[in-house]
Amino acid sequence: MFRLKENNTTVKTEMLAGLTTFLTMAYIIVVNPIILSDAGVPIDQVFMATIISAVIGTAWMALCANYPIAVAPGMGLNAYFTYTVVLASNGQIDYVTAFSAVFVAGIIFVILSLTPFREKLITAIPENLKLAITAGIGLFIAFIGLRMSGLVVANDSNLVGLGDLTSAPVLLTLFGLAVTVVLMARNAKGALFIGMIATSIIGILTGQLHIEKIIAMPHLPEGILVWNPIEAFSNVIEFGLYGVVFSFILVTLFDTTGTMIGVAKQAGLMKNNKLPRARHALLADSVATTVGSMFGTSPTTAYLESGAGVAAGGRTGLTSLTVAGLFIVASFFGPLVASLSNVSAITSPALIIVGSLMIGAVKHIEWDKFEEAFPAFLVVLTMPLTSSISTGIALGFISYPLLKIVKGQAREIHPLMYVFGVLFIIQLVFMPH
């Protein structure tokens, strides 16, 4: 089924590769509930929704596309869901309504994945804006980690300032950050996950972490949150969540496609510079996003950490199927995750380090061309400063066509970019953001 001989691999190699991938991305099991709980979603709800979406997306990738790529809720999109969509609405939009936008985005994403439009959309967006979006989200995530840990606090004179470095939570964060950074520098497999374990142990010894229960049968406290497409579309229209839906689709589109191509190249699975069974693979994250929103999590994406499994020898869907199986095993550790979620110092280092990895995309931006660099700069700058991914995207998509027109290069822009620019102007001027 997985054509192991054809791909020069074995069952043992594939399963070890799956374990490697799982360990490198297992942090999402803890981090995702913490971030979405700020939006009011119960931690155990998010925990199980994270597991369900990861299992469905990764198993789909394994069984339908036969790729060693894991799928789970994406970093950045969970922060956007919480801080930009829910909390920034000042109580007007609750998390159930916000999940309607994710559900709608998932449905549209499934439709796009079944048509050639997804590929056209990817080619329409300039490469420098794609890179800027990744970098901007990285800064946004890192800032959230700094703020959650207390390393950065509110400051009346300058908006933000350095926190109390002698406080117990900050010291625990610094310990976790130091351990994880050392492991990352040493290229240790599962460095983020191991760092969280080490920080948890110190948290227990210092009395900051209290674990009453470790294992329990998986359950969903609120069951299915969103299921009716008509009601979901009505919520999007009523609350003007068009920009939210568009941002979810846009970010997931670039993130997933870029990751899949990158990991496939690393594994030597590209044929004539094309991705075989691309449509089956692209459906994995869109289906997982739709189902995940029904149970209570933000959009899913292909994980760059899958590259760790490929480096360990993973070449087929058996690697992904192993990851899906390990996520199922992890579903029995809900009480432990709930306990860890109460100590932000355990997950903050992961957010800061993931942010540092994502900001690396700026090195590929054409900084020597002002008409390319300035829109990218706006995206990177405004995402963390406005705590809004969609605002950063909007400013980039508006300024880019304008500068190209002034430069006399209007014909070089794909027509869709002008459409996006107009839509984003309408969103910023007339809709809540």
Side-chain angles (χ1 to χ4, degrees), residues 298-309:
S298 48
T300 60
T301 183
Y303 261 62
L304 191 59
E305 285 83 350
S306 303

Side-chain angles (χ1 to χ4, degrees), residues 41 79 177 196 221 241 303 319 323 420 432:
V41 193
L177 188 60
M196 290 171 67
L241 300 177
Y303 261 62
T319 294
V323 175
F420 292 154

Side-chain angles (χ1 to χ4, degrees), residues 23-34:
L23 289 176
T24 59
M25 63 182 293
Y27 66 88
I28 194 63
I29 300 173
V30 180
V31 175
N32 203 43
I34 287 180

Side-chain angles (χ1 to χ4, degrees), residues 358-423:
M358 296 178 72
I359 191 64
V362 297
K363 67 182 179 182
H364 299 296
I365 294 174
E366 298 177 277
W367 295 110
D368 56 335
K369 296 181 180 179
F370 187 78
E371 69 277 11
E372 296 282 344
F374 187 72
F377 170 73
L378 280 181
V379 173
V380 175
L381 179 70
T382 55
M383 280 189 184
L385 292 185
T386 63
S387 294
S388 172
I389 291 174
S390 63
T391 299
I393 293 174
L395 293 177
F397 276 58
I398 292 170
S399 60
Y400 190 90
L402 289 176
L403 284 176
K404 284 294 185 179
I405 291 172
V406 172
K407 188 76 173 178
Q409 299 173 346
R411 292 185 178 181
E412 295 180 10
I413 305 299
H414 195 287
L416 281 175
M417 281 298 295
Y418 292 110
V419 175
F420 292 154
V422 172
L423 291 176

Side-chain angles (χ1 to χ4, degrees), residues 34 75 88 105 111 128 238 254 262 281 298 307 316 358 368 373 392 398 433:
I34 287 180
M75 291 295 295
I111 296 172
N128 288 308
E238 180 182 352
F254 300 148
S298 48
T316 74
M358 296 178 72
D368 56 335
I398 292 170
H433 51 86

